[in-house]
Amino acid sequence: MNVREYECVHHFCRDTFHTHLNTSKHKTFLALVMLAVWLVYTPRVLAQNSQVPGSSSWMLLPIGYYKPETGVAIGAASAFNFYFAKHDSISPASQLQLSAVITQKGQMSVALPFNLYWKERSHTLFGQFEYNDFNYDFYGVGANNLDGISENYHVRFPLFRINYLRKLTQHWFAGLRWWYENYQIYHKEKSPWLTSGNIVGGNGGISSGPGLVLMYDSRDNVYFSTNGYYLELVAQDQAKHWGSDFAFQRYRVDARVFHTLTRHWSLGTMLFVDITTGNVPFNQLASIGSDKRMRGFLYGRYRDNALFLYQGEVRGYFYKRWGATAFWNYAVMGTGIEKLSFHHDYLSAGLGLRYAFDKEKKTNIRLDVSAPIGFGALDNIQHKNPFVFYLTLNEAF
């Protein structure tokens, strides 16, 4: 499974794991039970967590869930923080994550996200490797499906996304990326979309190609930022000569600003732009609804060629390792930049709880609950299940 949220699911997202439960009584009860287990059990599985600068730390978290499409599912996730050189005070802590889940009906996901920094951050290597066998809901392309009609499809897909950046100056970095995904759809419900043959990528296919990355980063902490600036510019190409079944381009802008409000609290804001052009498969279109962007919407509830997204968040610690957040999100989408429509905009908001499993490096276990507001919350599916829960590692941005 490619760890993403959809109705009644508790599993991992791309670089971590998250929970998505509906608000019926038995699933609300299940969410509370899982939260209680998390709160009680997590402090006991911190095998080592020295607060000495330059030390390593390790965390293990069990997970489990139930949904009709999967039956019972069990798994675990771990994170390992470390430094390549003990006396390197410039490089952030490197992090390796490993997550795995299997279900009663034979579905599975294994993911290895990584962030590596060495030689005073002269070199940065980050990305993820995954193998997934899961099912997802497809709601069509564009903003017209207000009734929440969906079709379920089953897909296997290995993927890897790797990025290498070289330091240019104190805060500027540049480098390359390669994204590869082999989307193998092997079962589709009857519907007006994927089975019609009119949706690009409706029968699966390989997306593969390189990209150029330029980044500015002056944040005080890469995992829990409270002050500083971050800017990432990406231009990416996918074409037959790169091994791709589709020819398309992607352009992204990720701009973030963080301000300290008080000793323990800060404000973060983010502007994210995602534009795709060419023969874009549906699973590669800009979309909203994940544990990192536009929390509160079902994963892939809306997809299109252009996305402009704003996110804001107040975050901080209120007692020892315990922290909290309040966040809000706003997005507009369209078939292109010139066709962005404020008549079809999206708004959501939510609250979060944090536990710092590594306080010195400020890496957190994150629990968020969010819901759409106004347009986009009125369709049949989202209206019946307004709240979306996420359980994962590290911050949304």
Side-chain angles (χ1 to χ4, degrees):
M1 112 183 124
N2 184 14
V3 292
R4 296 162 172 155
E5 62 275 83
Y6 52 97
E7 188 176 14
C8 308
V9 64
H10 174 191
H11 60 83
F12 298 115
C13 105
R14 293 184 175 180
D15 54 343
T16 140
F17 58 94
H18 69 269
T19 305
H20 176 195
L21 300 171
N22 72 19
T23 54
S24 62
K25 292 182 179 179
H26 70 283
K27 289 186 175 64
T28 300
F29 175 75
L30 177 61
L32 294 174
V33 170
M34 294 177 67
L35 174 60
V37 171
W38 173 55
L39 295 178
V40 172
Y41 189 68
T42 296
R44 299 180 183 181
V45 298
L46 301 178
Q48 56 172 319
N49 191 13
S50 170
Q51 300 307 310
V52 178
S55 65
S56 61
S57 60
W58 179 77
M59 184 279 299
L60 173 66
L61 181 69
I63 60 168
Y65 62 89
Y66 171 84
K67 66 186 294 285
E69 293 86 348
T70 63
V72 176
I74 58 173
S78 63
F80 178 57
N81 289 345
F82 64 97
Y83 293 93
F84 280 97
K86 184 173 292 187
H87 302 292
D88 184 352
S89 61
I90 303 299
S91 296
S94 294
Q95 184 179 91
L96 294 174
Q97 295 181 34
L98 177 63
S99 62
V101 65
I102 57 174
T103 76
Q104 184 180 357
K105 297 186 179 181
Q107 298 165 326
M108 57 87 70
S109 174
V110 178
L112 177 63
F114 56 91
N115 293 274
L116 306 177
Y117 309 91
W118 69 96
K119 288 192 176 180
E120 298 184 342
R121 206 178 175 179
S122 294
H123 307 279
T124 299
L125 188 69
F126 64 96
Q128 66 199 81
F129 296 91
E130 293 184 14
Y131 181 81
N132 309 278
D133 185 340
F134 225 76
N135 55 352
Y136 299 102
D137 289 325
F138 177 62
Y139 302 91
V141 175
N144 297 320
N145 181 15
L146 300 184
D147 291 331
I149 299 171
S150 66
E151 81 174 277
N152 189 263
Y153 65 96
H154 297 243
V155 60
R156 301 184 186 97
F157 60 104
L159 69 84
F160 71 84
R161 295 175 178 176
I162 190 165
N163 306 261
Y164 171 76
L165 299 180
R166 186 75 163 84
K167 181 191 286 187
L168 302 178
T169 65
Q170 182 179 1
H171 297 303
W172 284 99
F173 305 82
L176 302 171
R177 71 173 36 174
W178 195 287
W179 284 15
Y180 171 91
E181 181 173 285
N182 186 358
Y183 219 61
Q184 305 164 34
I185 298 175
Y186 61 91
H187 176 74
K188 293 177 282 190
E189 290 181 349
K190 291 183 178 180
S191 78
W193 298 310
L194 293 182
T195 54
S196 70
N198 297 322
I199 299 296
V200 178
N203 293 317
I206 295 175
S207 300
S208 177
L212 299 174
V213 184
L214 179 65
M215 185 176 75
Y216 177 89
D217 191 359
S218 64
R219 294 172 296 173
D220 57 345
N221 186 287
V222 298
Y223 299 114
F224 190 83
S225 306
T226 61
N227 192 53
Y229 300 89
Y230 177 87
L231 174 66
E232 183 181 83
L233 305 176
V234 176
Q236 187 175 351
D237 182 57
Q238 310 251 338
K240 186 175 182 179
H241 51 265
W242 303 122
S244 179
D245 293 325
F246 311 96
F248 68 97
Q249 296 75 43
R250 162 166 270 125
Y251 306 95
R252 280 183 170 177
V253 177
D254 185 346
R256 312 176 194 181
V257 179
F258 301 93
H259 292 292
T260 300
L261 299 177
T262 68
R263 180 181 176 184
H264 298 292
W265 295 90
S266 63
L267 170 67
T269 58
M270 173 185 180
L271 175 65
F272 181 78
V273 180
D274 192 5
I275 299 170
T276 57
T277 61
N279 191 39
V280 191
F282 78 92
N283 58 297
Q284 293 289 342
L285 288 170
S287 65
I288 63 173
S290 75
D291 77 315
K292 290 186 175 296
R293 291 189 286 272
M294 209 66 191
R295 285 164 284 178
F297 284 85
L298 304 180
Y299 172 75
R301 178 60 186 88
Y302 295 102
R303 303 174 185 267
D304 221 324
N305 287 98
L307 165 68
F308 277 64
L309 167 65
Y310 165 80
Q311 299 189 130
E313 180 170 299
V314 175
R315 61 179 62 156
Y317 293 100
F318 60 86
Y319 179 73
K320 294 184 178 179
R321 295 177 182 268
W322 293 100
T325 66
F327 55 89
W328 53 95
N329 315 294
Y330 179 80
V332 293
M333 303 185 73
T335 56
I337 298 179
E338 72 285 357
K339 295 184 178 180
L340 291 171
S341 173
F342 289 96
H343 295 291
H344 291 163
D345 56 353
Y346 309 91
L347 178 66
S348 66
L351 299 173
L353 183 67
R354 303 291 183 266
Y355 180 83
F357 79 85
D358 189 326
K359 191 174 181 180
E360 185 258 325
K361 303 174 187 67
K362 294 185 178 181
T363 48
N364 297 327
I365 298 171
R366 167 164 63 100
L367 176 66
D368 289 332
V369 56
S370 182
I373 300 172
F375 179 85
L378 303 179
D379 63 73
N380 293 334
I381 293 178
Q382 196 86 55
H383 182 71
K384 293 178 181 178
N385 306 280
F387 294 102
V388 182
F389 292 82
Y390 306 88
L391 177 60
T392 181
L393 299 177
N394 299 328
E395 299 309 304
F397 66 93

